[in-house]
Amino acid sequence: MEFKRAADGEKGFEKVFAFLRERLLTGSLRPGDRLISERELATLLGVSRPIVREALRALTVLGIVEIRDRIGTVVTRPDVSVLNDFFTFALAQQADMLEDVMQARVAIECQAIRLACERANIADFERLQRALTKIGETIDEADAGGMADFDFHRAIVVASHSETLSVLHASMAGLLTHSHRSRRELVQAFPSMKTYLVDDHRRIFEALIARDPERADATLRKHFAIGDEYRRRAVVGDIDKTSASG
Amino acid sequence: MEFKRAADGEKGFEKVFAFLRERLLTGSLRPGDRLISERELATLLGVSRPIVREALRALTVLGIVEIRDRIGTVVTRPDVSVLNDFFTFALAQQADMLEDVMQARVAIECQAIRLACERANIADFERLQRALTKIGETIDEADAGGMADFDFHRAIVVASHSETLSVLHASMAGLLTHSHRSRRELVQAFPSMKTYLVDDHRRIFEALIARDPERADATLRKHFAIGDEYRRRAVVGDIDKTSASG
DNA sequence: GTCTGATCGTGGTCAGACCAGTATGCTTAC
DNA sequence: GTAAGCATACTGGTCTGACCACGATCAGAC
């Protein structure tokens, strides 16, 4: 073990990472398990501790593992934050990606609502109902209104009972949060938007209750399309006349 | 710099990571840029080199940065592999996630085909045409057939000209590759599947050419549904009688 | 039995060193 | 003057051995 020459062919980091990867993928290491200490791992694989730490840190940012100070390293259940990080970086370097991410969000939600039509239970309906009520109540507030809107859409995804869809949606929603908010500020400029917001969400809710996937999907899609339309009109300055009151 | 006590409040790793994160998010560091050397970074932030390496390694697994041996560390364009890694690990620990990931894939593809109806160009159509031809040619081969199938579906996503959808699709497709292959082996057991495969893909292609998003979406969805049905029948052992030849 | 404290193990970090190549510039040969 | 060759100063990749601060554990005091 005194040779840095990895007879295994892999460099230090790769060796450790591959070692742990294999244990994790084959199920030898499951969530909740505690890894052997960094020192043991180092001597076991014939590498130095800093290298082991690199590998553990890599697994940490992937959300696979959690390094607990003075306790040890434990395997965790895969977490969303990774995707969040990734998309945050990715988006930062490609600002034009925003519209693109929105497309992905639409994709996720439309699929989610289809699944939700099959799988939603009473609790899901209640959650949606509450969100719907909230949307009506907060129609005049940009902040609370945006949050209510967000909650409703999230409730749809939750109702799909799909972990993957939830994860993906959560990671995109985070990115779209601010755009969501600024969009909400348009409501004041478009009084007609108020009825659109309330009615549209209600229609989506009804389709969901009716457990009609096609209608739910179509309604949701239309909802997004109308939102886009409002945004377009805002860009070109086509404000509702009736709102000139200010 | 002799104090490990970080006056900045953050621990070593966090300090370096936050430092780089900020540069990356604000655009001070853009893809292609070369970071300063590990040593410089270490003295600059008052930490040791191993810590710097941890941070760089973290960014590497996130696909934000690439460490080139004896050259330096350069900022890269965000890459899919991160998501791939994540889903690989996530799936390994929650096997029941497979069906779930499939749902996400359906979501992505259906949205992609809608966009593709608007955005696809000649090159996209040609790619799809080639894939379609290949599917017909390789109908009797499990391996090549599966690949042709995969290429066709990927071509749909590519035709959407959406980076985000492509990224997501790529990361899921990787996971579903083997299931795709095993599914392909069913073809031999289900002769009726051959016509299904060819015809279905052709119908999808035609809807795309017609630039009819609704029809394309619906056809693609049906395609997936039929695939599921075949799988279900395989599970319960309901094999086509006509294939008893073996 | 309970409380207290020493010890051991853990992650967190550092400093300094060596290796192996790359890149560059300077020297040397033509 | 130009071109080949070599020395040097980088770069990442790694190791060693050490220290710190704190959690856990168990022995000993009460």
Side-chain angles (χ1 to χ4, degrees):
Chain A
M1 67 281 286
E2 56 288 346
F3 297 108
K4 77 175 52 170
R5 302 253 44 82
D8 315 271
E10 293 155 317
K11 306 293 189 181
F13 169 81
E14 291 297 337
K15 180 154 62 171
V16 182
F17 193 76
F19 175 83
L20 293 173
R21 167 184 220 121
E22 201 248 328
R23 309 277 152 142
L24 287 163
L25 292 183
T26 61
S28 309
L29 283 173
R30 328 190 98 273
D33 291 356
R34 192 161 133 244
L35 272 62
I36 59 180
S37 75
E38 297 177 355
R39 281 169 246 260
E40 286 181 275
L41 214 42
T43 63
L44 175 63
L45 295 177
V47 299
S48 67
R49 201 146 81 90
I51 300 301
V52 171
R53 297 202 100 256
E54 275 185 44
L56 293 179
R57 187 68 78 174
L59 289 173
T60 299
V61 301
L62 281 176
I64 313 296
V65 129
E66 185 183 343
I67 304 179
R68 292 185 187 154
D69 194 356
R70 276 151 283 166
I71 302 291
T73 306
V74 300
V75 183
T76 66
R77 289 194 60 237
D79 184 29
V80 200
S81 56
V82 201
L83 302 178
N84 238 317
D85 281 356
F86 173 75
F87 279 109
T88 302
F89 280 114
L91 205 70
Q93 305 192 337
Q94 294 169 257
D96 57 324
M97 213 186 196
L98 233 173
E99 194 58 31
D100 221 52
V101 173
M102 187 60 195
Q103 292 298 336
R105 186 202 153 180
V106 173
I108 301 296
E109 277 194 40
C110 288
Q111 183 71 12
I113 207 168
R114 280 172 178 271
L115 284 179
C117 282
E118 301 173 16
R119 306 178 179 173
N121 55 37
I122 301 294
D124 295 321
F125 287 135
E126 286 176 348
R127 198 177 305 112
L128 282 160
Q129 177 70 69
R130 277 198 301 276
L132 196 54
T133 305
K134 196 94 176 200
I135 288 178
E137 292 172 352
T138 61
I139 195 66
D140 289 317
E141 308 164 49
D143 258 32
M147 196 170 299
D149 195 312
F150 174 76
D151 284 344
F152 181 83
H153 287 274
R154 189 158 54 85
I156 292 174
V157 180
V158 169
S160 76
H161 293 273
S162 165
E163 180 74 12
T164 307
L165 290 179
S166 296
V167 163
L168 291 176
H169 188 261
S171 64
M172 327 235 134
L175 293 183
L176 300 171
T177 295
H178 65 293
S179 82
H180 227 266
R181 250 198 92 244
S182 65
R183 196 173 309 183
R184 262 308 173 129
E185 286 161 358
L186 292 180
V187 177
Q188 313 313 326
F190 293 95
S192 66
M193 201 170 173
K194 294 182 183 178
T195 52
Y196 143 70
L197 277 171
V198 177
D199 289 355
D200 242 28
H201 285 104
R202 187 175 41 70
R203 265 192 290 274
I204 294 168
F205 180 58
E206 285 168 0
L208 201 44
I209 292 237
R211 297 194 182 276
D212 183 341
E214 296 299 333
R215 196 173 106 211
D217 185 339
T219 311
L220 183 55
R221 243 172 240 286
K222 197 172 153 219
H223 170 66
F224 283 123
I226 294 180
D228 274 353
E229 175 65 13
Y230 269 108
R231 250 194 314 171
R232 194 188 63 74
R233 282 173 58 188
V235 170
V236 300
D238 178 19
I239 308 293
D240 279 11
K241 313 299 176 300
T242 53
S243 76
S245 61
Chain B
M1 67 279 290
E2 57 287 348
F3 298 108
K4 77 174 50 167
R5 301 253 45 80
D8 313 273
E10 292 154 318
K11 306 293 190 184
F13 169 81
E14 290 296 337
K15 182 153 60 172
V16 183
F17 192 77
F19 175 83
L20 293 173
R21 167 185 220 121
E22 201 248 327
R23 308 277 152 143
L24 287 163
L25 291 183
T26 62
S28 309
L29 283 173
R30 328 189 100 273
D33 292 356
R34 196 164 127 238
L35 272 61
I36 57 180
S37 75
E38 297 178 353
R39 281 169 246 260
E40 284 180 275
L41 214 42
T43 64
L44 175 64
L45 296 177
V47 299
S48 66
R49 206 150 79 90
I51 300 301
V52 172
R53 297 204 100 247
E54 276 185 42
L56 292 179
R57 188 67 78 175
L59 289 173
T60 299
V61 300
L62 281 176
I64 314 295
V65 130
E66 185 184 344
I67 304 179
R68 292 181 187 158
D69 194 357
R70 275 150 284 173
I71 303 290
T73 307
V74 299
V75 183
T76 65
R77 289 193 62 235
D79 183 30
V80 201
S81 56
V82 201
L83 302 178
N84 234 317
D85 282 354
F86 173 75
F87 279 110
T88 303
F89 280 114
L91 204 71
Q93 304 191 337
Q94 293 171 260
D96 58 325
M97 213 186 196
L98 229 172
E99 196 58 31
D100 223 51
V101 172
M102 189 60 196
Q103 291 299 334
R105 184 200 155 183
V106 173
I108 300 295
E109 276 195 41
C110 288
Q111 183 71 12
I113 206 169
R114 281 171 177 272
L115 284 179
C117 282
E118 300 173 17
R119 306 177 178 174
N121 55 37
I122 301 295
D124 294 323
F125 287 134
E126 286 176 349
R127 196 176 308 111
L128 281 159
Q129 177 69 69
R130 277 198 301 276
L132 195 55
T133 304
K134 196 95 178 202
I135 287 178
E137 292 172 354
T138 62
I139 195 65
D140 288 318
E141 308 164 48
D143 257 31
M147 196 171 299
D149 195 311
F150 174 75
D151 284 344
F152 182 83
H153 286 274
R154 188 158 54 86
I156 292 175
V157 180
V158 169
S160 76
H161 293 272
S162 165
E163 180 74 13
T164 307
L165 291 179
S166 297
V167 163
L168 290 176
H169 188 261
S171 66
M172 328 236 134
L175 291 185
L176 300 170
T177 295
H178 65 293
S179 81
H180 227 264
R181 248 197 94 244
S182 65
R183 197 173 308 181
R184 262 308 173 129
E185 287 162 359
L186 292 180
V187 177
Q188 314 312 328
F190 293 96
S192 65
M193 202 170 173
K194 295 183 184 178
T195 52
Y196 143 68
L197 277 171
V198 177
D199 289 354
D200 241 27
H201 285 105
R202 187 175 41 71
R203 266 192 289 274
I204 294 169
F205 180 58
E206 285 168 358
L208 200 43
I209 292 237
R211 296 195 183 278
D212 183 341
E214 295 300 332
R215 197 174 104 211
D217 185 340
T219 311
L220 183 55
R221 240 172 243 287
K222 197 172 154 218
H223 170 67
F224 283 123
I226 294 181
D228 273 354
E229 175 65 13
Y230 269 106
R231 249 194 316 170
R232 193 189 64 73
R233 283 173 58 189
V235 170
V236 300
D238 179 18
I239 308 293
D240 280 8
K241 314 298 177 300
T242 53
S243 75
S245 62

